[in-house]
Amino acid sequence: MRNNTGFICDERYFWHDTGNGALFLPPGGWIEADEHGESPKSKRRIKNLLERSGFIDELTGIRPRAATQEEIEFVHRSSYVEKVKQLSDTLGGDAGELALVGRGSYEIALLSAGGVMTGVDAVMEGEVDNVYALTRPPGHHAETEQGMGFCLFNNVAVAARYAQKKYGLKRILILDWDVHHGNGTENVFYDDPDILFISLHQDGNFPPDRGAREDIGEDAGRGYNINIPLPAGTGNAGYRYALEKAVAPIADQFKPELILVSAGQDASVFDPLAQMMVTAQGFGEMGTIVKDIAERHCKGRLVACHEGGYSPAYVPFCTLRIIEALSGVQSKVIEDPYYNAIKGLPTEVLTKEQKEAVDQVIAITH
Ligand SMILES: [Zn+2]
């Protein structure tokens, strides 16, 4: 019997070198050199937990192929792609705003975008129902002409364009639950009615001036860009409310033929780059809700693509719960090891502010 869920990963993803830093800043001035926030650590620990728990045996391992330069240029300007390549071939540097390129990062970024495309092929051809692609570097901040926020090429956007071209899809839903706004993906599809882009993010986080509720798309794409900015402190209850009351009804109207998820687990309660309160269990519930949408409309076809998540200790448990939800199989990791530290927090409380934030989006979309 085949496993329902594919898992895409490659050792090379962990070799993309972001160098020294502290959180998101490079060392220098008063910043002492430490490990950069977007290091391989949390991602490698996801793979390690899947292996250590034996859960990897419940998944279908799929090897990613690299995207070609031509495929990257479905989304990005060739001058920008050349710039990344040139930095990667020499000593590295910043390909935009906080978008670090190390030596050899270009080829790894091609493999990262290619990983999501490989996932699209796997679900479109029925090899598996859904896929979790543990790709790196991340993609959702990368814009057409510049990298941003640790992102070089916009993996999900490239994969969506690929799915349109190869399979002739007319309706693709991209759900971005990374805690930061998916500005790059929004930019690419802002006038495109064939792609419904929905971003859930912490209001005022990164980029600080993006992700407003009023940004609903333009021209033919008007109404196909949905931003759901949530107040700091939102936990499981707020995300559940947003997904059930805003995202699911909008998705049910749109009737996607394929769902791509920008799965950043940086809304977690332990994340150093945001101030949200989602627990591993909460991420599992989010996985279940989006899987149900995929089953209602597109035979379960869903590709989740890893984005951010900066708590090396906790992100593996959040991601494990998502993959459990996608596969419908429970791992041997029954309890959240960090439960005692979070059980007293109000993650299951939907505050008035959180409810209003979602209700205002619902009002706009009706
Ligand atoms: Zn993020």
Side-chain angles (χ1 to χ4, degrees):
M1 200 187 88
R2 79 183 175 102
N3 295 316
N4 298 331
T5 296
F7 179 65
I8 293 177
C9 192
D10 191 290
E11 177 63 25
R12 286 169 283 182
Y13 291 149
F14 308 129
W15 287 45
H16 162 57
D17 182 12
T18 46
N20 284 331
L23 292 181
F24 46 87
L25 291 178
W30 297 108
I31 310 280
E32 182 184 349
D34 198 342
E35 194 171 54
H36 190 277
E38 206 291 299
S39 81
K41 201 189 255 181
S42 63
K43 287 85 178 175
R44 192 186 283 282
R45 285 170 67 100
I46 294 169
K47 180 164 169 279
N48 289 346
L49 181 61
L50 294 176
E51 286 179 351
R52 172 70 180 81
S53 66
F55 194 66
I56 197 112
D57 297 335
E58 305 290 341
L59 309 173
T60 298
I62 302 173
R63 295 195 70 82
R65 74 162 171 96
T68 63
Q69 181 166 348
E70 190 188 351
E71 287 164 338
I72 296 296
E73 290 175 13
F74 292 163
V75 165
H76 296 284
R77 287 275 166 79
S78 60
S79 55
Y80 170 63
V81 179
E82 289 294 340
K83 179 182 177 182
V84 174
K85 185 170 190 308
Q86 212 236 330
L87 286 170
S88 166
D89 287 345
T90 52
L91 287 175
D94 195 335
E97 187 185 331
L98 301 173
L100 289 173
V101 178
R103 291 184 73 176
S105 288
Y106 175 73
E107 284 75 16
I108 304 173
L110 294 182
L111 193 67
S112 191
V116 191
M117 292 159 59
T118 304
V120 167
D121 285 334
V123 300
M124 291 308 298
E125 286 161 17
E127 192 185 329
V128 290
D129 294 338
N130 53 48
V131 162
Y132 195 92
L134 182 55
T135 52
R136 183 173 176 269
H140 74 145
H141 293 304
E143 302 196 331
T144 306
E145 293 182 65
Q146 71 157 2
M148 198 167 155
F150 319 149
C151 300
L152 302 183
F153 300 142
N154 196 314
N155 305 321
V156 159
V158 170
R161 285 284 184 240
Y162 172 74
Q164 286 179 320
K165 286 177 200 287
K166 180 163 180 191
Y167 299 101
L169 299 185
K170 297 281 179 270
R171 293 182 310 281
I172 300 172
L173 165 63
I174 301 178
L175 174 64
D176 184 330
W177 71 47
D178 186 285
V179 79
H180 305 106
H181 179 243
N183 60 288
T185 317
E186 176 180 272
N187 266 29
V188 174
F189 302 115
Y190 207 56
D191 60 358
D192 189 342
D194 298 338
I195 307 274
L196 172 61
F197 177 64
I198 307 179
S199 178
L200 296 158
H201 47 271
Q202 182 183 339
D203 195 7
N205 198 308
F206 181 84
D209 53 349
R210 293 291 298 272
R213 194 178 293 123
E214 293 75 23
D215 296 344
I216 59 165
E218 67 186 6
D219 301 333
R222 206 174 150 77
Y224 294 90
N225 190 84
I226 315 272
N227 283 320
I228 311 180
L230 296 165
T234 301
N236 296 353
Y239 273 84
R240 195 186 306 123
Y241 185 75
L243 284 165
E244 289 181 345
K245 303 296 180 193
V247 175
I250 296 165
D252 287 343
Q253 260 184 3
F254 183 69
K255 299 184 174 46
E257 299 165 301
L258 170 70
I259 299 178
L260 303 176
V261 180
S262 269
Q265 277 71 266
D266 39 13
S268 96
V269 61
F270 294 115
D271 201 276
L273 291 188
Q275 292 74 33
M276 296 305 219
M277 251 193 290
V278 180
T279 69
Q281 184 201 324
F283 278 106
E285 289 169 5
M286 289 157 65
T288 299
I289 294 169
V290 67
K291 181 193 181 192
D292 288 347
I293 297 172
E295 285 180 347
R296 284 204 292 280
H297 298 290
C298 47
K299 302 181 189 141
R301 291 192 296 242
L302 181 158
V303 179
C305 164
H306 198 82
E307 299 278 2
Y310 305 98
S311 168
Y314 200 52
V315 166
F317 295 98
C318 300
T319 307
L320 174 66
R321 290 291 184 252
I322 295 166
I323 303 176
E324 286 176 349
L326 296 184
S327 67
V329 180
Q330 161 88 59
S331 75
K332 288 184 191 141
V333 186
I334 305 295
E335 283 173 15
D336 181 341
Y338 294 91
Y339 181 69
N340 274 340
I342 56 183
K343 66 181 179 189
L345 301 175
T347 182
E348 293 297 339
V349 177
L350 178 69
T351 67
K352 186 164 161 284
E353 291 75 19
Q354 293 162 12
K355 183 173 182 301
E356 275 174 12
V358 177
D359 289 346
Q360 286 174 34
V361 175
I362 296 171
I364 288 176
T365 54
H366 269 69

